[in-house]
mmCIF file of all heavy atoms in Angstrom:
data_model
loop_
_atom_site.group_PDB
_atom_site.id
_atom_site.type_symbol
_atom_site.label_atom_id
_atom_site.label_comp_id
_atom_site.label_asym_id
_atom_site.label_seq_id
_atom_site.Cartn_x
_atom_site.Cartn_y
_atom_site.Cartn_z
ATOM 1 N N GLY E 50 0.034 5.778 15.700
ATOM 2 C CA GLY E 50 -0.328 5.530 17.086
ATOM 3 C C GLY E 50 -1.036 6.697 17.722
ATOM 4 O O GLY E 50 -0.892 7.818 17.378
ATOM 5 N N ARG E 51 -1.808 6.351 18.708
ATOM 6 C CA ARG E 51 -2.591 7.358 19.477
ATOM 7 C C ARG E 51 -1.703 8.396 20.089
ATOM 8 O O ARG E 51 -1.989 9.569 20.134
ATOM 9 C CB ARG E 51 -3.455 6.628 20.566
ATOM 10 C CG ARG E 51 -4.387 7.570 21.173
ATOM 11 C CD ARG E 51 -5.305 6.809 22.201
ATOM 12 N NE ARG E 51 -6.296 6.028 21.615
ATOM 13 C CZ ARG E 51 -6.949 4.990 22.202
ATOM 14 N NH1 ARG E 51 -6.612 4.659 23.408
ATOM 15 N NH2 ARG E 51 -7.809 4.268 21.512
ATOM 16 N N ASP E 52 -0.538 7.939 20.649
ATOM 17 C CA ASP E 52 0.427 8.846 21.314
ATOM 18 C C ASP E 52 0.929 9.872 20.244
ATOM 19 O O ASP E 52 1.010 11.151 20.647
ATOM 20 C CB ASP E 52 1.505 8.168 22.010
ATOM 21 C CG ASP E 52 1.070 7.418 23.234
ATOM 22 O OD1 ASP E 52 0.031 7.661 23.754
ATOM 23 O OD2 ASP E 52 1.853 6.496 23.661
ATOM 24 N N GLY E 53 1.284 9.487 19.130
ATOM 25 C CA GLY E 53 1.722 10.429 18.107
ATOM 26 C C GLY E 53 0.664 11.379 17.657
ATOM 27 O O GLY E 53 0.952 12.572 17.442
ATOM 28 N N ILE E 54 -0.527 10.878 17.494
ATOM 29 C CA ILE E 54 -1.658 11.751 17.157
ATOM 30 C C ILE E 54 -1.937 12.791 18.306
ATOM 31 O O ILE E 54 -2.097 13.967 18.023
ATOM 32 C CB ILE E 54 -2.938 10.881 16.814
ATOM 33 C CG1 ILE E 54 -2.661 10.050 15.611
ATOM 34 C CG2 ILE E 54 -4.128 11.804 16.708
ATOM 35 C CD1 ILE E 54 -3.683 8.963 15.329
ATOM 36 N N ARG E 55 -1.884 12.276 19.507
ATOM 37 C CA ARG E 55 -2.104 13.203 20.657
ATOM 38 C C ARG E 55 -1.038 14.306 20.729
ATOM 39 O O ARG E 55 -1.368 15.515 20.817
ATOM 40 C CB ARG E 55 -2.046 12.437 21.900
ATOM 41 C CG ARG E 55 -2.230 13.251 23.200
ATOM 42 C CD ARG E 55 -2.025 12.461 24.581
ATOM 43 N NE ARG E 55 -2.997 11.274 24.589
ATOM 44 C CZ ARG E 55 -2.591 9.976 24.506
ATOM 45 N NH1 ARG E 55 -1.300 9.723 24.491
ATOM 46 N NH2 ARG E 55 -3.458 9.076 24.540
ATOM 47 N N GLY E 56 0.238 13.965 20.533
ATOM 48 C CA GLY E 56 1.264 14.957 20.524
ATOM 49 C C GLY E 56 1.186 16.009 19.435
ATOM 50 O O GLY E 56 1.261 17.190 19.731
ATOM 51 N N PHE E 57 0.939 15.506 18.237
ATOM 52 C CA PHE E 57 0.798 16.405 17.097
ATOM 53 C C PHE E 57 -0.378 17.371 17.277
ATOM 54 O O PHE E 57 -0.292 18.587 17.098
ATOM 55 C CB PHE E 57 0.671 15.615 15.783
ATOM 56 C CG PHE E 57 0.410 16.474 14.597
ATOM 57 C CD1 PHE E 57 1.465 17.163 13.940
ATOM 58 C CD2 PHE E 57 -0.855 16.732 14.199
ATOM 59 C CE1 PHE E 57 1.251 17.975 12.808
ATOM 60 C CE2 PHE E 57 -1.095 17.595 13.079
ATOM 61 C CZ PHE E 57 -0.039 18.192 12.414
ATOM 62 N N MET E 58 -1.605 16.798 17.645
ATOM 63 C CA MET E 58 -2.761 17.587 17.738
ATOM 64 C C MET E 58 -2.727 18.543 18.918
ATOM 65 O O MET E 58 -3.203 19.695 18.866
ATOM 66 C CB MET E 58 -4.092 16.699 17.809
ATOM 67 C CG MET E 58 -4.315 16.005 16.527
ATOM 68 S SD MET E 58 -4.475 16.992 15.017
ATOM 69 C CE MET E 58 -5.915 17.859 15.394
ATOM 70 N N THR E 59 -2.061 18.166 20.038
ATOM 71 C CA THR E 59 -1.912 19.092 21.143
ATOM 72 C C THR E 59 -1.138 20.294 20.711
ATOM 73 O O THR E 59 -1.449 21.460 20.999
ATOM 74 C CB THR E 59 -1.226 18.371 22.341
ATOM 75 O OG1 THR E 59 -2.062 17.344 22.741
ATOM 76 C CG2 THR E 59 -0.960 19.335 23.474
ATOM 77 N N GLN E 60 -0.043 20.120 19.962
ATOM 78 C CA GLN E 60 0.732 21.182 19.424
ATOM 79 C C GLN E 60 -0.031 22.027 18.413
ATOM 80 O O GLN E 60 0.024 23.273 18.370
ATOM 81 C CB GLN E 60 2.056 20.734 18.841
ATOM 82 C CG GLN E 60 3.064 20.168 19.816
ATOM 83 C CD GLN E 60 4.375 19.775 19.242
ATOM 84 O OE1 GLN E 60 4.452 19.553 17.981
ATOM 85 N NE2 GLN E 60 5.365 19.598 20.044
ATOM 86 N N ALA E 61 -0.743 21.351 17.550
ATOM 87 C CA ALA E 61 -1.578 22.039 16.473
ATOM 88 C C ALA E 61 -2.630 22.901 17.092
ATOM 89 O O ALA E 61 -2.883 23.978 16.628
ATOM 90 C CB ALA E 61 -2.093 21.016 15.484
ATOM 91 N N PHE E 62 -3.288 22.342 18.137
ATOM 92 C CA PHE E 62 -4.413 23.158 18.809
ATOM 93 C C PHE E 62 -3.823 24.297 19.547
ATOM 94 O O PHE E 62 -4.532 25.359 19.793
ATOM 95 C CB PHE E 62 -5.152 22.265 19.698
ATOM 96 C CG PHE E 62 -6.144 21.335 18.962
ATOM 97 C CD1 PHE E 62 -6.323 20.022 19.365
ATOM 98 C CD2 PHE E 62 -6.893 21.679 17.851
ATOM 99 C CE1 PHE E 62 -7.184 19.173 18.741
ATOM 100 C CE2 PHE E 62 -7.728 20.887 17.195
ATOM 101 C CZ PHE E 62 -7.863 19.546 17.680
ATOM 102 N N ALA E 63 -2.552 24.300 19.930
ATOM 103 C CA ALA E 63 -1.927 25.417 20.586
ATOM 104 C C ALA E 63 -1.321 26.385 19.565
ATOM 105 O O ALA E 63 -0.909 27.551 19.940
ATOM 106 C CB ALA E 63 -0.809 24.881 21.544
ATOM 107 N N GLY E 64 -1.288 25.944 18.318
ATOM 108 C CA GLY E 64 -0.661 26.734 17.236
ATOM 109 C C GLY E 64 -1.628 27.044 16.099
ATOM 110 O O GLY E 64 -2.668 27.716 16.312
ATOM 111 N N PRO E 65 -1.363 26.426 14.923
ATOM 112 C CA PRO E 65 -2.158 26.805 13.740
ATOM 113 C C PRO E 65 -3.681 26.447 13.812
ATOM 114 O O PRO E 65 -4.437 27.065 13.076
ATOM 115 C CB PRO E 65 -1.416 26.125 12.614
ATOM 116 C CG PRO E 65 -0.627 24.991 13.221
ATOM 117 C CD PRO E 65 -0.328 25.539 14.619
ATOM 118 N N TYR E 66 -4.002 25.416 14.608
ATOM 119 C CA TYR E 66 -5.403 24.994 14.632
ATOM 120 C C TYR E 66 -6.156 25.705 15.801
ATOM 121 O O TYR E 66 -7.332 25.458 16.017
ATOM 122 C CB TYR E 66 -5.559 23.516 14.761
ATOM 123 C CG TYR E 66 -5.130 22.745 13.510
ATOM 124 C CD1 TYR E 66 -4.811 21.381 13.673
ATOM 125 C CD2 TYR E 66 -5.084 23.338 12.255
ATOM 126 C CE1 TYR E 66 -4.430 20.615 12.528
ATOM 127 C CE2 TYR E 66 -4.763 22.489 11.172
ATOM 128 C CZ TYR E 66 -4.456 21.195 11.325
ATOM 129 O OH TYR E 66 -4.029 20.489 10.203
ATOM 130 N N GLN E 67 -5.469 26.568 16.558
ATOM 131 C CA GLN E 67 -6.067 27.162 17.727
ATOM 132 C C GLN E 67 -7.353 27.997 17.331
ATOM 133 O O GLN E 67 -7.311 28.774 16.401
ATOM 134 C CB GLN E 67 -5.164 28.114 18.406
ATOM 135 C CG GLN E 67 -5.592 28.660 19.754
ATOM 136 C CD GLN E 67 -4.573 29.439 20.474
ATOM 137 O OE1 GLN E 67 -3.662 30.022 19.878
ATOM 138 N NE2 GLN E 67 -4.643 29.432 21.784
ATOM 139 N N GLY E 68 -8.438 27.652 17.989
ATOM 140 C CA GLY E 68 -9.701 28.352 17.661
ATOM 141 C C GLY E 68 -10.447 27.940 16.404
ATOM 142 O O GLY E 68 -11.469 28.457 16.084
ATOM 143 N N THR E 69 -9.878 26.920 15.752
ATOM 144 C CA THR E 69 -10.605 26.419 14.501
ATOM 145 C C THR E 69 -11.616 25.388 14.890
ATOM 146 O O THR E 69 -11.684 24.850 15.999
ATOM 147 C CB THR E 69 -9.547 25.772 13.603
ATOM 148 O OG1 THR E 69 -8.958 24.697 14.164
ATOM 149 C CG2 THR E 69 -8.524 26.771 13.150
#
Side-chain angles (χ1 to χ4, degrees):
R51 189 180 285 160
D52 289 341
I54 294 166
R55 179 183 306 111
F57 176 83
M58 292 306 294
T59 296
Q60 289 182 345
F62 286 139
Y66 292 159
Q67 187 172 29
T69 63

